[in-house]
Amino acid sequence: MNIQQFQYDRFGLFLHWGVYAIPARGEWVRNYDEMKEEDYIPFVKEFNPEAFDPQAWAKAARQAGMKYAVMTAKHHDGYCLFDTKTTDFKYKEDLVRKYLDAFREEGLKVGLYYSLIDWHHPDFPHYGDRHHPMRNHPEFSNENRDWNRYLDYMHTQIRELLTGYGKLDIMWFDFSYNEMKKDKWGAETIRDMIDAYQPDMITDNRMEGDGIYPGSIMEEHPSRTAGDFTSPEQMIPPYGIVNKVGKPVPWEACITMNEHWGYCAKDTNYKSAALLIRTLVECVSKNGNMILNVGPDARGRFPKQSVQILKEIGEWMEYNSASIYGCGASDLEKPEWGRYTQKGDVIYAHILDESIFDIAVHIPMERIESVRRLSDGSEIQLVTPWNGESFPEYTFLNVDTAYHQMPDPIDTVLEIRLKK
Ligand code: GLC
């Protein structure tokens, strides 16, 4: 998948899944609890997701209107969901292959998340590292740790993923910090492998970037290890993302449904489908993508709340996805009542607020070919309300139904076709 296709698709599914679903306090549980590896091993031995049904996952994603998916092949805990020859710290079946096969079968593009960080590997820094579970434990000093041996391990795993699983559309690396970035990861070598084995694959920016430091993707001339899109996390940029010389940079906001990436049994603080739909619209209105996360549980099932949210998002997307796919920011300034997305000479008005009167769009009437409610194709009449002639650069649209209710309280979308 190239970056243009990625930006056309706009909406993806993130999957954070692994042994950490058993302690069920998120994928950083070893860090939070400063959990020794020996205390994690019982969970490793227990992990056996007998209800794993990748076809059901893929169908739920497609029905939600998602066009691509990215699943963890290995997270920071170092446990591999793929059949690597480099370690036996892996599941007995190749869960990555099952995921890829099912999602490709369902017609989605497929990606893998791969953690550059590895808290299991003995050659990865422990004591004094910024994030390692044993960072505060001097008994885990770093003498005799051979960083090049770790790099060889990590690069071999990446090569296995790039050569052993067919055509991959996205590789989502995570994440750089302090001196642990770019050359420390052997990013040029990783880039060489991608160029050799998966030249059409795109990547995020995190071989170089960490949080507020997105790396050279924001420079006028990004390095070859900069990645293809930047990855704001749990936030939406105020006005989209441009680099240091004002050129738009492809971006994808990664968002959780509750407050955790990995399964967290006690976290029932799920965002509503309505908020997530509006967040997707906000991303697209600012030329961005949104990848929405599900953290499957230890049995291999999506949490019930996630299933319901995906279903409700799909119900809106079924009627309104034309205002998402292939769309981006409009030339019009953001209106008071909602947002615009645009595709060529079609502007989509996303009406998010009730209004006591007709909806004003900052488009002179003579430029408008037609206005239709996107969901049902019904005509929206252009009107000139009392005093309306005082605002010739605006057109007023009669949208509301009885008692000033918008047809779709989540987001009523109007398709405004401009005259050629
Ligand atoms: C952060 C978290 C990591 C998660 C990633 C998703 O880097 O530390 O656990 O996988 O965000 O974007």
Side-chain angles (χ1 to χ4, degrees):
M1 168 160 69
N2 62 28
I3 198 65
Q4 288 73 30
Q5 181 62 55
F6 177 72
Q7 291 183 296
Y8 181 94
D9 287 353
R10 290 299 184 210
F11 188 28
L13 172 68
F14 221 164
L15 291 163
H16 279 71
W17 192 36
V19 168
Y20 42 77
I22 297 177
R25 283 172 278 139
E27 73 290 354
W28 276 61
V29 63
R30 279 206 61 202
N31 167 283
Y32 303 146
D33 293 8
E34 297 192 19
M35 188 189 293
K36 289 186 171 61
E37 176 106 328
E38 65 208 45
D39 297 326
Y40 197 60
I41 293 303
F43 298 126
V44 169
K45 290 179 174 166
E46 183 183 332
F47 186 64
N48 179 32
E50 77 281 351
F52 176 44
D53 180 354
Q55 287 75 19
W57 291 11
K59 190 173 174 190
R62 179 182 54 75
Q63 288 177 340
M66 292 164 158
K67 289 288 190 181
Y68 62 93
V70 176
M71 186 175 87
T72 47
K74 183 186 84 169
H75 206 268
H76 309 333
D77 63 351
Y79 187 75
C80 299
L81 301 188
F82 63 104
D83 185 18
T84 173
K85 303 293 180 284
T86 60
T87 177
D88 59 6
F89 198 59
K90 63 183 177 182
Y91 189 59
K92 63 189 177 192
E93 293 172 21
D94 196 324
L95 301 173
V96 160
R97 190 174 303 284
K98 290 174 186 286
Y99 146 76
L100 291 170
D101 291 349
F103 277 71
R104 285 177 179 133
E105 179 66 28
E106 199 67 30
L108 281 87
K109 299 178 194 74
V110 291
L112 296 176
Y113 165 110
Y114 183 82
S115 174
L116 301 161
I117 298 165
D118 189 314
W119 295 332
H120 164 75
H121 198 280
D123 290 317
F124 197 92
H126 287 46
Y127 179 60
D129 177 73
R130 182 171 156 192
H131 299 300
H132 197 284
M134 297 299 105
R135 60 195 176 281
N136 299 321
H137 299 255
E139 69 273 26
F140 288 87
S141 70
N142 297 318
E143 283 83 49
N144 306 319
R145 297 192 197 283
D146 179 338
W147 180 251
N148 287 324
R149 192 162 53 199
Y150 172 66
L151 275 190
D152 182 53
Y153 172 84
M154 185 245 276
H155 290 173
T156 301
Q157 288 195 340
I158 291 174
R159 184 179 295 106
E160 287 178 319
L161 293 171
L162 294 176
T163 58
Y165 291 88
K167 186 177 182 308
L168 299 175
D169 294 297
I170 302 170
M171 185 65 86
W172 219 100
F173 292 112
D174 194 37
F175 66 93
S176 295
Y177 56 96
N178 297 356
E179 79 287 349
M180 306 294 269
K181 65 176 55 175
K182 196 174 160 69
D183 296 340
K184 182 77 175 175
W185 301 126
E188 295 288 346
T189 302
I190 296 171
R191 186 70 244 176
D192 291 342
M193 289 193 282
I194 294 170
D195 291 346
Y197 304 124
Q198 298 279 350
D200 298 329
M201 184 182 76
I202 58 173
T203 74
D204 69 327
N205 65 310
R206 294 190 182 189
M207 275 205 290
E208 291 189 356
D210 158 30
I212 58 175
Y213 306 107
S216 71
I217 196 168
M218 300 300 278
E219 302 297 331
E220 182 176 8
H221 303 295
S223 77
R224 65 190 287 260
T225 58
D228 301 285
F229 61 91
T230 189
S231 52
E233 181 175 319
Q234 306 284 39
M235 62 86 75
I236 310 302
Y239 51 82
I241 296 180
V242 294
N243 69 11
K244 289 178 179 170
V245 293
K247 181 169 174 279
V249 174
W251 59 274
E252 174 196 68
C254 47
I255 308 290
T256 54
M257 284 194 183
N258 53 10
E259 304 302 325
H260 288 79
W261 300 101
Y263 183 65
C264 183
K266 295 184 176 68
D267 179 356
T268 56
N269 186 24
Y270 283 80
K271 303 169 185 75
S272 67
L275 175 59
L276 291 165
I277 289 165
R278 292 181 168 203
T279 303
L280 173 60
V281 169
E282 180 177 0
C283 289
V284 177
S285 76
K286 296 172 179 177
N287 280 325
N289 284 34
M290 182 173 89
I291 188 167
L292 179 60
N293 184 75
V294 172
D297 65 23
R299 302 290 187 217
R301 294 191 183 95
F302 281 4
K304 286 189 175 59
Q305 299 94 326
S306 299
V307 172
Q308 181 58 28
I309 287 167
L310 289 175
K311 179 174 173 294
E312 290 176 32
I313 292 174
E315 286 163 0
W316 184 86
M317 284 291 279
E318 182 180 354
Y319 292 94
N320 298 289
S321 62
S323 68
I324 298 295
Y325 302 143
C327 293
S330 169
D331 307 326
L332 298 176
E333 77 275 6
K334 181 190 176 310
E336 290 170 331
W337 38 260
R339 297 187 185 278
Y340 290 120
T341 57
Q342 184 161 353
K343 182 177 2 184
D345 55 13
V346 181
I347 294 175
Y348 295 97
H350 297 263
I351 305 170
L352 308 177
D353 296 340
E354 300 299 334
S355 168
I356 62 159
F357 71 113
D358 300 308
I359 295 291
V361 291
H362 197 179
I363 310 169
M365 195 178 279
E366 60 270 14
R367 282 195 61 206
I368 295 177
E369 181 72 36
S370 67
V371 182
R372 298 288 181 268
R373 191 197 300 176
L374 180 59
S375 61
D376 64 2
S378 58
E379 180 192 17
I380 299 294
Q381 290 183 308
L382 314 187
V383 296
T384 303
W386 182 79
N387 256 12
E389 76 282 359
S390 313
F391 310 101
E393 74 278 19
Y394 281 81
T395 300
F396 293 83
L397 308 177
N398 179 247
V399 185
D400 68 3
T401 55
Y403 310 112
H404 301 290
Q405 297 295 313
M406 282 298 146
D408 182 338
I410 293 177
D411 174 5
T412 298
V413 186
L414 305 186
E415 175 197 77
I416 303 172
R417 290 191 176 280
L418 302 177
K419 288 177 178 166
K420 301 283 185 199

